Amino acid sequence: MRRTMKKIIATVLTAAMAMSVGIPAFASENMEVNENLQAVSEKAIYMDASEKMNFANQMDILYQNAVDNGTMERASREEIDLLIEQVTFASGAERKALVQELSEYGVYVYETESDFAIEPLSDSGDVTLVKPTVVYEATDKTWTVTCGGNWLNTSWETSVGGAEGFGVGYTNTSGTYNSAVVRSSAYITDQDRRNTNRTTNRSDGDGSKGFGFRLQDSRIGSTYVGYIWYGACTYDYRFGSYSGIATAYYIHTYNSASITSVSFGVDGKTGGLNVELSNTKESFVAYSNDTRFGVY
């Protein structure tokens, strides 16, 4: 009975996502409207605010039906956060499996089939960034936006500089932002995930135009704490009616360089970001593909 109900949930979830999200028909139109953007992804997630709310309403019904039938699984905050983190980095069959597992706990990833095979983009040959993932939790009607990435080589072996910066910037926003940040978290870790530096405090951004974290990287022998990074910001239900394009960023500093400031919502800048550094020659900024959470 439990296995059958899981299959029913998976079928209904797939149908609801198909009704709520449409990208192929509007791909060329959106590309034309956004031709001035520097980092438009052909595989971006197109999410009209009204469609996003429609998706949330359908998932609320799906969730409530499962609760009423006694088939909704339970998990701790830590377990759900870990699954959201894992789905951020996953692709293909692994991502599909994680999306399904999250749905069994009333947590739904808003995306389409084409996004299961997305290829990350990086402005630097040294690192790769995954594009932001957007998640809706029917349990408390919140929306979470995530980001993450990792190094591709050992260029980090140069002397450690100031703190590393990473997060998500919003551009082309529409609608009035009246949401509130419920919680946030981030970490940097080494390649084997044995040494980790964590925080639950945002360092940059008030949430309306994006959010950012700064964490000090370090060397422990031949291990680099900063090889992998991840961040998440959770908003209340009113974020569902807010539209825009979400772009993840990563700032690396070494030797004498450090981050002076990170500003959001700046016109003409990739991700709406303006980054000031004490020594730009000993740093770089990389951006992900875009995730769209509104109509253009």
Side-chain angles (χ1 to χ4, degrees), residues 50-67:
S50 62
E51 290 181 347
K52 187 164 60 169
M53 293 304 296
N54 183 46
F55 173 81
N57 290 335
Q58 292 180 52
M59 295 306 101
D60 285 342
I61 294 172
L62 185 66
Y63 169 74
Q64 193 56 55
N65 287 341
V67 171

Side-chain angles (χ1 to χ4, degrees), residues 40-241:
V40 174
S41 166
E42 293 181 356
K43 299 174 182 177
I45 301 173
Y46 293 78
M47 290 168 44
D48 179 284
S50 62
E51 290 181 347
K52 187 164 60 169
M53 293 304 296
N54 183 46
F55 173 81
N57 290 335
Q58 292 180 52
M59 295 306 101
D60 285 342
I61 294 172
L62 185 66
Y63 169 74
Q64 193 56 55
N65 287 341
V67 171
D68 293 342
N69 294 329
T71 56
M72 178 55 62
E73 301 289 337
R74 292 186 178 183
S76 67
R77 178 77 261 162
E78 291 74 18
E79 291 171 323
I80 289 175
D81 286 345
L82 178 58
L83 284 171
I84 293 175
E85 174 191 330
Q86 290 173 336
V87 82
T88 297
F89 289 97
S91 61
E94 180 187 6
R95 187 177 179 93
K96 286 184 178 181
L98 288 167
V99 168
Q100 171 58 29
E101 185 173 359
L102 277 169
S103 72
E104 295 167 4
Y105 301 119
V107 183
Y108 307 98
V109 180
Y110 197 110
E111 60 188 342
T112 65
E113 286 296 316
S114 64
D115 295 306
F116 287 113
I118 58 174
E119 291 295 329
L121 172 147
S122 170
D123 286 353
S124 167
D126 295 325
V127 299
T128 186
L129 290 80
V130 293
K131 70 178 185 177
T133 293
V134 180
V135 178
Y136 175 71
E137 293 192 45
T139 51
D140 58 3
K141 302 184 186 304
T142 57
W143 296 86
T144 297
V145 181
T146 73
C147 63
N150 61 269
W151 279 78
L152 298 172
N153 54 38
T154 58
S155 293
W156 49 262
E157 289 180 330
T158 53
S159 298
V160 172
E164 304 292 271
F166 55 94
V168 177
Y170 302 146
T171 54
N172 283 37
T173 58
S174 62
T176 302
Y177 176 84
N178 57 5
S179 183
V181 174
V182 176
R183 58 182 176 272
S184 61
S185 63
Y187 70 77
I188 57 175
T189 188
D190 59 50
Q191 189 170 0
D192 297 321
R193 295 179 178 272
R194 294 178 179 176
N195 303 280
T196 304
N197 185 4
R198 298 181 181 274
T199 184
T200 56
N201 297 316
R202 285 175 291 125
S203 302
D204 300 294
D206 63 1
S208 64
K209 296 296 183 180
F211 59 90
F213 304 93
R214 297 188 207 181
L215 285 169
Q216 182 61 57
D217 54 340
S218 61
R219 292 275 299 275
I220 302 177
S222 60
T223 297
Y224 176 55
V225 181
Y227 188 91
I228 301 169
W229 63 92
Y230 170 79
C233 185
T234 301
Y235 298 84
D236 64 22
Y237 72 97
R238 289 169 293 188
F239 187 77
S241 59

